[in-house]
Amino acid sequence: MKQNKQPKIGATVTSADNMPEIREGQTVALLQELHILTRDGKMNQDSRRKLKQVYHLYQFIEPLLKEVLESKDNVTLVDHGAGKSYLGFIIYDLFFKALQNSHIYGIETREELVARSQELAQKFNFPGMSFLPLSVAESTESKLLPEQIDVVTALHACNTATDDAIQFALKKKARHIVLVPCCQAEVASVLKKNKGQSLGKSALTEIWRHPIHTREFGSQITNVLRCLQLEAHGYSVTVTELVGWEHSMKNELIIATYKNLPRKRPAERLKEVLETVGLQEMSTRFYAEEEVA
Ligand SMILES: C[S@@+](CC[C@H](N)C(=O)[O-])C[C@H]1O[C@@H](n2cnc3c(N)ncnc32)[C@H](O)[C@@H]1O
């Protein structure tokens, strides 16, 4: 008879359990509450994909957390646009659970998701997790968050929430910023508005003349501007792919690490790119002149 190798409900996984997607020490009941595992310990295709995405991101985040812990004995992480907080819970379960005085904050506007995450954190006795029903912009001013944060993440935070997460990270002097942007409509709408004027000035406007190209180029240039913005604040930036295109259309992963690098050149490039593509009016979104001078 075939042996049932599914992990037991409520247990943590050991290497003896035959489920390669689940890592050693992970709390099985948590994965069930997050609906990554079904009640009988199985995983469907959707969950497998979600888990793969989160693990892939965790693989980039874990060394950053370790790096922070090389210079002090605690680490703080803020996850913006947390949604159901898959990312936060998995990072906590795999890494923070074993730490003292370290904290993950989930920022999310939907109150029912915040309440559910708070309930789960309590249920699993994760004292180093808090969830705040705030917009990213509100959290930047909130007294409920510390003045300094080590790592800031935003996984598919909608539209301009990624930009707000960058502002948050800059204000909190984050050491590391990990972004997987969602679609951003703001830049495309400005490109569209100024298209007529731009077409008369430069043949390069052909790149975004057709509506579908306006949207795609809008998305791409948004991320280019975000990278320059981070570099203009002294960060070193790498851009890579989160998972294969077959998994998600929004899989650009931007990782920025503060290195106090020279700011002048990227700040100049940022300004020049904004001018070249007719986005000068967006300079306050991507550029805070007084901060990078
Ligand atoms: C696409 S979901 C991603 C959720 C989660 N990060 C994930 O990848 O599973 C985006 C989430 O961001 C939240 N959100 C959108 N705009 C926000 C804002 N300005 N501030 C905080 N949360 C926001 C939405 O309510 C939603 O739950």
Side-chain angles (χ1 to χ4, degrees):
M1 206 172 105
K2 205 172 164 201
Q3 217 182 341
N4 181 6
K5 294 264 185 78
Q6 303 299 342
K8 283 198 203 88
I9 316 280
T12 56
V13 174
T14 70
S15 52
D17 297 305
N18 186 22
M19 242 181 145
E21 293 90 352
I22 302 180
R23 308 217 167 157
E24 198 160 332
Q26 254 183 321
T27 312
V28 175
L30 173 67
L31 296 174
Q32 282 168 330
E33 292 282 0
L34 291 172
H35 301 295
I36 286 172
L37 285 181
T38 59
R39 293 224 161 273
D40 54 359
K42 298 203 172 90
M43 196 180 283
N44 65 31
Q45 271 308 101
D46 265 2
S47 312
R48 198 161 265 135
R49 201 189 57 224
K50 183 84 211 167
L51 199 57
K52 191 173 166 186
Q53 245 184 7
V54 174
Y55 281 161
H56 196 65
L57 195 52
Y58 178 71
Q59 177 193 306
F60 291 97
I61 295 171
E62 187 188 24
L64 308 179
L65 296 169
K66 286 185 173 160
E67 191 259 358
V68 171
L69 289 174
E70 278 169 20
S71 60
K72 57 190 191 112
D73 63 0
N74 65 78
V75 55
T76 47
L77 181 147
V78 172
D79 181 34
H80 284 298
K84 292 181 179 163
S85 290
Y86 295 110
L87 179 64
F89 276 113
I90 287 175
I91 296 176
Y92 194 93
D93 199 30
L94 289 174
F95 195 89
F96 279 67
K97 209 167 52 177
L99 302 177
Q100 304 273 318
N101 306 322
S102 294
H103 211 96
I104 293 185
Y105 299 86
I107 305 298
E108 169 58 52
T109 41
R110 286 176 58 191
E111 292 193 7
E112 75 282 10
L113 297 182
V114 170
R116 170 75 180 142
S117 296
Q118 276 165 341
E119 199 183 296
L120 281 187
Q122 215 165 10
K123 178 168 181 174
F124 290 97
N125 192 22
F126 289 170
M129 277 195 111
S130 314
F131 300 89
L132 301 172
L134 297 173
S135 71
V136 179
E138 286 164 347
S139 73
T140 308
E141 304 305 325
S142 171
K143 297 268 180 282
L144 298 169
L145 289 151
E147 290 287 301
Q148 200 273 324
I149 295 290
D150 299 310
V151 181
V152 172
T153 62
L155 173 56
H156 295 151
C158 312
N159 199 9
T160 52
T162 299
D163 301 294
D164 295 339
I166 292 175
Q167 292 296 346
F168 175 95
L170 295 176
K171 179 159 185 213
K172 299 289 181 184
K173 304 205 179 316
R175 291 211 209 174
H176 304 285
I177 308 170
V178 180
L179 307 167
V180 183
C182 206
C183 340
Q184 206 257 36
E186 198 185 38
V187 167
S189 75
V190 178
L191 286 174
K192 185 176 164 202
K193 177 165 72 81
N194 297 341
K195 210 186 291 185
Q197 222 183 358
S198 293
L199 272 167
K201 282 193 201 149
S202 164
L204 285 182
T205 311
E206 293 296 335
I207 295 170
W208 67 96
R209 178 160 63 92
H210 295 286
I212 184 171
H213 294 158
T214 314
R215 208 171 57 230
E216 286 172 357
F217 180 68
S219 258
Q220 193 186 346
I221 194 83
T222 302
N223 287 343
V224 169
L225 293 166
R226 286 166 172 159
C227 293
L228 283 169
Q229 178 187 23
L230 290 163
E231 286 170 344
H233 285 84
Y235 284 80
S236 138
V237 174
T238 57
V239 187
T240 176
E241 192 182 36
L242 180 58
V243 284
W245 285 106
E246 73 277 18
H247 296 293
S248 169
M249 289 299 284
K250 297 169 273 182
N251 69 348
E252 194 164 317
L253 170 63
I254 300 172
I255 301 183
T257 292
Y258 187 71
K259 299 233 169 107
N260 197 16
L261 295 174
R263 292 148 164 80
K264 191 164 172 277
R265 180 82 174 137
E268 284 168 359
R269 298 297 273 191
L270 175 57
K271 196 157 175 267
E272 199 178 324
V273 173
L274 286 167
E275 281 165 13
T276 306
V277 296
L279 288 172
Q280 295 94 316
E281 68 194 74
M282 304 223 59
S283 59
T284 48
R285 160 73 69 208
F286 295 104
Y287 187 67
E289 202 156 351
E290 65 284 359
E291 287 178 43
V292 295

